[in-house]
Amino acid sequence: METTTNPQTETLGYWAVQAIQKHLEKVISHESEVLKDHDPEELHQMRVAMRRLRSAVVGFAPVLKLPESAEDQKIGRIARRLGKLRDLDVLLEILQNTYYSQLPPSEQDILDKILIDWIKQRHKAFRVVEWSLEHKIYQNLKEDLQDWIKEPSFTTLEALPINEVLPDLLLPQISHLFLHPGWQVGINQDPVNSAEITSETLEIILDQQGESLHDLRKQAKKVRYQMSLFTNFYSSKYSTYLEDIKAIQEHLGDIQDSMVLMEKIADKIPSKIRSKLPTFINLLAEKRYESWQKWQSLQQRYLKAENRQEFRLELLNPVIETGNR
């Protein structure tokens, strides 16, 4: 296979700058619309871009000398403030657009009061985001990174060929993912007495081990963001693995969103929630079970040692194809 050989565009330093510039520009492109607060999708896209920017900073950390204002922790602080507002948007969207119309009037009346309270919370969360985007922490981050992109500063690793060091960048994150205890949630260690997990059994499992699945989802998200930086350097098989990681994140995310929605509503109705909202509770359980079944197929695939090994081998063999730019 013919490969490119331009030494200036195949270095670790070059691709670090490309990644940071791409995601910073994406962050900035959504800023004004987020402040107008007309479309929740703008906030979502800015939050994703901020997370991807943070992922690039972390992923390329060995080669970067960034200004103090662009440290991982400071990017994370801004991202979390965006996240709190986005989380409320997700709760409101799911409740209003997915479940509300399927509920009887008696349950809608109960949820109307909760929706009003969440809208008030969202207003306060937006004010925090508004303040954050006007604050010097964000402004310094943006301006200092723009200046750094024009004249980047690196460690001595700058000139390393990107295709030679990619496995060293990617494999540690994959190791953390594969060693996460969340993969074992719902797995019966006794095949003789194993039984199919029912919707009822799933609720018990999630009550006891749901936090482990949530943490696995967060690890999958980190891997997804880091892998997405390097799709130009691998075959289509790499993209297939990346799609699997995305699906893992989404299915576990659907389970988590459903659990959080129920918990937030339970906080407002501390007693007899099942008798007051039986239809709603059943719909949530059905959604969790549907998402669980989708997750299970991926769980079973990657619990097989040969599949994990094939994944690792793909990461060990980057290829830079001519014309990929």
Side-chain angles (χ1 to χ4, degrees), residues 162-176:
I162 184 69
N163 59 317
E164 291 182 10
V165 298
L166 275 179
D168 300 317
L169 292 174
L170 291 169
L171 282 170
Q173 287 288 348
I174 297 300
S175 295
H176 286 309

Side-chain angles (χ1 to χ4, degrees), residues 117-316:
D117 182 65
W118 284 354
I119 291 170
K120 292 178 181 178
Q121 289 182 39
R122 191 199 178 280
H123 180 74
K124 293 178 181 178
F126 174 72
R127 293 303 174 200
V128 173
V129 166
E130 190 176 40
W131 174 85
S132 297
L133 296 186
E134 293 170 352
H135 194 273
K136 65 179 182 180
I137 292 177
Y138 172 71
Q139 294 299 324
N140 288 345
L141 163 68
K142 184 172 61 173
E143 292 166 9
D144 290 350
L145 268 185
Q146 287 174 320
D147 290 340
W148 180 88
I149 288 166
K150 294 173 185 175
E151 295 184 26
S153 179
F154 301 106
T155 69
T156 56
L157 301 179
E158 172 194 359
L160 288 176
I162 184 69
N163 59 317
E164 291 182 10
V165 298
L166 275 179
D168 300 317
L169 292 174
L170 291 169
L171 282 170
Q173 287 288 348
I174 297 300
S175 295
H176 286 309
L177 179 67
F178 286 158
L179 287 171
H180 196 285
W183 290 100
Q184 300 299 320
V185 173
I187 298 298
N188 193 322
Q189 303 300 326
D190 180 5
V192 176
N193 297 315
S194 64
E196 182 180 354
I197 293 175
T198 64
S199 178
E200 292 75 15
T201 307
L202 175 61
E203 294 304 306
I204 297 172
I205 291 172
L206 293 178
D207 183 60
Q208 296 173 346
Q209 302 179 74
E211 190 59 37
S212 184
L213 282 181
H214 177 46
D215 195 65
L216 176 60
R217 174 210 183 184
K218 291 192 288 186
Q219 183 61 40
K221 185 182 295 184
K222 291 178 183 177
V223 169
R224 175 189 172 188
Y225 287 165
Q226 191 173 33
M227 284 184 65
S228 67
L229 295 172
F230 306 117
T231 52
N232 280 352
F233 298 95
Y234 287 95
S235 70
S236 59
K237 193 172 184 180
Y238 179 93
S239 297
T240 300
Y241 287 128
L242 182 55
E243 286 300 311
D244 280 351
I245 299 298
K246 179 181 177 181
I248 289 168
Q249 177 196 336
E250 290 178 347
H251 299 327
L252 293 181
D254 287 341
I255 293 173
Q256 176 66 13
D257 288 345
S258 175
M259 292 174 67
V260 169
L261 184 57
M262 187 168 70
E263 289 167 5
K264 293 290 186 183
I265 290 175
D267 288 342
K268 301 295 181 182
I269 311 173
S271 62
K272 300 180 180 178
I273 183 173
R274 294 186 181 278
S275 62
K276 292 180 179 178
L277 298 170
T279 308
F280 179 62
I281 295 301
N282 287 335
L283 287 172
L284 286 175
E286 289 173 5
K287 177 63 176 177
R288 282 192 291 272
Y289 192 60
E290 177 185 328
S291 299
W292 171 266
Q293 290 177 310
K294 293 176 181 177
W295 146 246
Q296 267 198 313
S297 65
L298 289 159
Q299 179 190 32
Q300 291 164 4
R301 183 184 309 169
Y302 285 103
L303 282 175
K304 294 179 180 178
E306 60 269 27
N307 290 334
R308 296 197 302 274
Q309 183 62 8
E310 286 182 7
F311 196 135
R312 297 187 196 100
L313 289 173
E314 176 64 20
L315 300 184
L316 285 171

Side-chain angles (χ1 to χ4, degrees), residues 45-63:
Q45 292 301 325
M46 185 174 186
R47 183 195 187 191
V48 169
M50 188 69 75
R51 284 180 163 180
R52 289 182 182 273
L53 174 62
R54 188 181 186 189
S55 178
V57 167
V58 172
F60 285 105
V63 74

Side-chain angles (χ1 to χ4, degrees), residues 32-50:
S32 62
E33 291 302 317
V34 167
L35 289 171
K36 291 177 184 177
D37 199 27
H38 293 158
D39 183 359
E41 183 63 21
E42 293 291 334
L43 172 69
H44 174 55
Q45 292 301 325
M46 185 174 186
R47 183 195 187 191
V48 169
M50 188 69 75

